Amino acid sequence: MALFFKTFRHCDLSDVMGIPIFPLSRNERRHQAKYDDEESTLSESSSILEDELLCRFKMLDLNRERRKTALMRPVDIESDHSVDTARRSNLSRVSLTIQKSVKLSKMQKSSRTVVQRSKSDVDEVASCLNMALTDTVFDHRSFHRYESGELKPRHLHGSSGNRSMRRTNAANHSKIIPESPMKITDKTKANLGKVHYYLACLHGMDRFPEIVPALEYKSAEEAPSHDIFSVIFHLCHAASLYNVQACLSLARARVGLDSSVSPLLQSNIPIDFESSKDLCRRALSSQCSAAAPKVAAGCLLYQILEDEGGTGDVEKISVLEESLDCLKVAAVEAKVLKEHAQKQTRGKAAGFHVGDKVEGNYFMEGTFYPGVVVQIVSDDCNEVVIKYDDDGSTEKLTVDNVRSLEPATQMQGVSPISDADALGAVNTDEESLFQNYELMAKLAELKAKIGDASSASKLFQDAAELAMSAGKLQSASNWSVRAAELEG
């Protein structure tokens, strides 16, 4: 879907149908204009120089060599640039966890480069970062209309002959009665946010090296592997639509942490702890999202609040409680995804259960008919008995001839396919700064501080049990003692 929206050209017909405009970054629009159906890309007045073509081809070849597959992120991109992250941030206010990451990123030879930026680029990044904290509004401008609902005429480009022809087409379109703009629901916003997030990830994976404006660099080697401004643009649009992964990625970059979306993100976004906190809060308030990234956002927000020192205990308790609630939901979601993956597994009867809706290859003729699994048979559990819906007949088939019809999980924000499967890379941003028992212990300390000894004791005891299971014997012992003290 993300690839479709990247190449989709919003036209007069889209306006008439009431489809909102899908925003693209400046460099994406610049590249897309080269393939405008209504304009000539080659003419006597505007010819492409051979040197420019060679430079672009050289850059494409270089970027192809940098990535081993189309869906893998490069690990080493040589660069002579460096970023003094510590100078731009107040490390005295940063936790040891965050400070360690910042220092490590400085010492390591990595691909983090500061991309050459003009004043307009800096202004565009600042505008996008402000937009990330503002809710997207779908007004008449989003549908390319006037406030009255009438369609706006599109700008005319090209030769006079083409302009006259397009005036005729525009006049014909103006006679068409436009439909009402499509209704933008919360689910629509969530889907659009996911599309923007995936586009940012694909840019960060070097899927679109042609977007990088090669002429702004002296050589193809100096050009970055991908367009970081498009990454920031789509992340900010996704965050404005309450996409939790995008909010989390930007929040990490705003405190000097790296992000799995792009290795260039950390060094090209200014550090701002207040903005990072707002982004974390925005992630926690999202209603249509998986719980795992919310846990990571909650942990990051708590760590920033704890480092600042001026935050009240009530707010920190609220953040920890919400993070723990999300942690419980994340465990349930992970279980649902695992079960769904098992049902989709072919060649293993363990992937099917009695009562599952499936399709069976009727009498091995190559035609599949819907039915229900009524029995799992054979010693190796590789065969099932299906009862067909149309006539009630049954047939024993191997699981290779059975296809699942189970619908995707309906849990809010959970997709039947993970981001790692969809993008071919693990989202390390969702790795929490704390384990569940550590969150419980921190919450227990705050509960004890405000005088809620009963709740604190139970939390310490639960944290001790989880720590014991994780092999953290010293912590488990200390928390068990604290629980006993509070009970006494």
Side-chain angles (χ1 to χ4, degrees):
M1 184 185 293
L3 294 175
F4 167 79
F5 275 96
K6 178 185 176 295
T7 57
F8 175 67
R9 295 301 306 274
H10 202 88
C11 57
D12 294 328
L13 182 60
S14 306
D15 295 336
V16 172
M17 294 175 63
I19 300 175
I21 297 174
F22 185 81
L24 295 175
S25 68
R26 182 175 57 184
N27 288 336
E28 286 175 322
R29 295 196 308 270
R30 183 185 303 166
H31 177 73
Q32 192 181 75
K34 297 178 181 180
Y35 303 97
D36 194 336
D37 295 335
E38 297 181 346
E39 294 183 9
S40 174
T41 57
L42 290 176
S43 65
E44 294 180 359
S45 60
S46 59
S47 61
I48 300 178
L49 298 178
E50 183 177 359
D51 292 342
E52 179 183 338
L53 281 173
L54 292 176
C55 181
R56 178 166 296 278
F57 290 145
K58 187 176 181 181
M59 184 191 70
L60 290 173
D61 292 338
L62 178 64
N63 282 294
R64 288 192 184 98
E65 293 176 359
R66 282 174 177 164
R67 58 185 193 271
K68 295 180 181 178
T69 67
L71 290 176
M72 288 185 63
R73 199 184 336 271
V75 294
D76 288 313
I77 303 175
E78 297 298 331
S79 172
D80 296 330
H81 300 286
S82 62
V83 181
D84 190 358
T85 309
R87 180 169 54 84
R88 293 191 296 133
S89 62
N90 184 2
L91 288 182
S92 62
R93 295 174 53 199
V94 190
S95 68
L96 293 177
T97 304
I98 298 178
Q99 189 177 136
K100 180 179 179 181
S101 176
V102 173
K103 290 182 177 179
L104 187 62
S105 68
K106 289 178 57 185
M107 292 186 296
Q108 290 179 336
K109 183 178 181 181
S110 67
S111 60
R112 301 187 181 99
T113 62
V114 179
V115 178
Q116 297 179 15
R117 294 176 288 184
S118 63
K119 185 180 184 302
S120 62
D121 292 331
V122 175
D123 293 340
E124 183 181 7
V125 170
S127 176
C128 287
L129 293 174
N130 290 332
M131 177 189 61
L133 298 173
T134 306
D135 295 354
T136 299
V137 177
F138 290 89
D139 55 12
H140 61 279
R141 290 186 294 270
S142 302
F143 297 92
H144 204 252
R145 303 185 181 206
Y146 295 111
E147 293 186 24
S148 61
E150 296 179 0
L151 298 178
K152 287 184 178 180
R154 292 195 169 270
H155 296 293
L156 302 177
H157 305 282
S159 63
S160 58
N162 290 335
R163 283 201 298 269
S164 61
M165 181 178 63
R166 283 193 293 277
R167 285 196 188 98
T168 303
N169 293 335
N172 293 334
H173 279 299
S174 64
K175 298 177 182 178
I176 302 176
I177 300 177
E179 298 182 7
S180 300
M182 67 178 293
K183 185 178 180 181
I184 305 297
T185 64
D186 291 340
K187 187 64 176 177
T188 306
K189 293 179 181 179
N191 289 334
L192 287 174
K194 186 174 293 187
V195 170
H196 277 293
Y197 174 72
Y198 281 163
L199 272 177
C201 292
L202 291 173
H203 273 287
M205 292 176 177
D206 307 342
R207 285 293 304 276
F208 313 118
E210 68 277 4
I211 302 298
V212 180
L215 296 181
E216 295 182 6
Y217 300 90
K218 296 180 180 179
S219 63
E221 288 79 3
E222 292 184 2
S225 60
H226 57 271
D227 182 29
I228 184 59
F229 302 115
S230 293
V231 174
I232 297 173
F233 178 89
H234 287 294
L235 278 181
C236 292
H237 271 278
S240 70
L241 292 163
Y242 285 90
N243 180 272
V244 178
Q245 290 94 335
C247 291
L248 178 58
S249 177
L250 290 172
R252 289 176 60 87
R254 293 294 251 172
V255 295
L257 296 175
D258 57 359
S259 171
S260 61
V261 174
S262 168
L264 304 178
L265 190 63
Q266 174 198 11
S267 56
N268 288 278
I269 286 185
I271 288 180
D272 186 336
F273 287 93
E274 290 299 322
S275 177
S276 180
K277 290 190 295 184
D278 291 339
L279 286 164
C280 289
R281 293 189 182 101
R282 192 174 186 84
L284 289 172
S285 64
S286 176
Q287 299 299 317
C288 299
S289 173
K294 286 187 175 183
V295 177
C299 291
L300 179 58
L301 175 58
Y302 172 79
Q303 190 61 69
I304 297 174
L305 294 175
E306 190 176 61
D307 295 335
E308 290 180 340
T311 308
D313 294 335
V314 175
E315 183 177 358
K316 289 192 284 187
I317 288 175
S318 176
V319 173
L320 288 173
E321 288 178 339
E322 190 169 1
S323 299
L324 286 170
D325 290 340
C326 291
L327 199 59
K328 296 176 183 178
V329 177
V332 176
E333 291 175 350
K335 182 179 179 181
V336 171
L337 288 175
K338 184 178 180 180
E339 291 177 353
H340 182 79
Q342 289 177 342
K343 289 182 179 181
Q344 297 299 320
T345 303
R346 290 190 177 186
K348 296 182 180 179
F352 295 105
H353 304 279
V354 174
D356 286 352
K357 296 180 180 180
V358 296
E359 284 183 329
N361 186 1
Y362 185 71
F363 277 97
M364 308 294 290
E365 294 177 350
T367 304
F368 286 79
Y369 292 95
V372 179
V373 176
V374 295
Q375 184 182 359
I376 297 178
V377 296
S378 77
D379 296 337
D380 56 359
C381 295
N382 201 42
E383 293 180 327
V384 296
V385 176
I386 296 176
K387 182 178 180 180
Y388 291 105
D389 294 341
D390 53 358
D391 59 1
S393 62
T394 60
E395 182 180 9
K396 183 170 68 174
L397 294 170
T398 62
V399 292
D400 292 330
N401 293 286
V402 179
R403 300 189 303 210
S404 175
L405 285 180
E406 287 294 316
T409 175
Q410 297 298 315
M411 295 191 65
Q412 192 172 31
V414 181
S415 170
I417 181 173
S418 65
D419 289 347
D421 293 332
L423 297 172
V426 178
N427 187 354
T428 56
D429 292 352
E430 296 183 10
E431 297 177 359
S432 301
L433 294 176
F434 308 109
Q435 299 296 327
N436 53 355
Y437 49 83
E438 293 175 315
L439 290 174
M440 288 183 177
K442 292 178 181 296
L443 180 58
E445 289 288 357
L446 292 173
K447 291 282 188 179
K449 187 176 179 180
I450 64 175
D452 191 354
S454 177
S455 298
S457 176
K458 186 178 185 308
L459 285 167
F460 271 128
Q461 189 60 43
D462 292 342
E465 293 176 0
L466 291 173
M468 182 70 71
S469 300
K472 306 296 182 181
L473 303 183
Q474 184 63 45
S475 297
S477 177
N478 294 337
W479 292 335
S480 295
V481 172
R482 288 284 285 130
E485 291 174 351
L486 290 170
E487 287 180 354

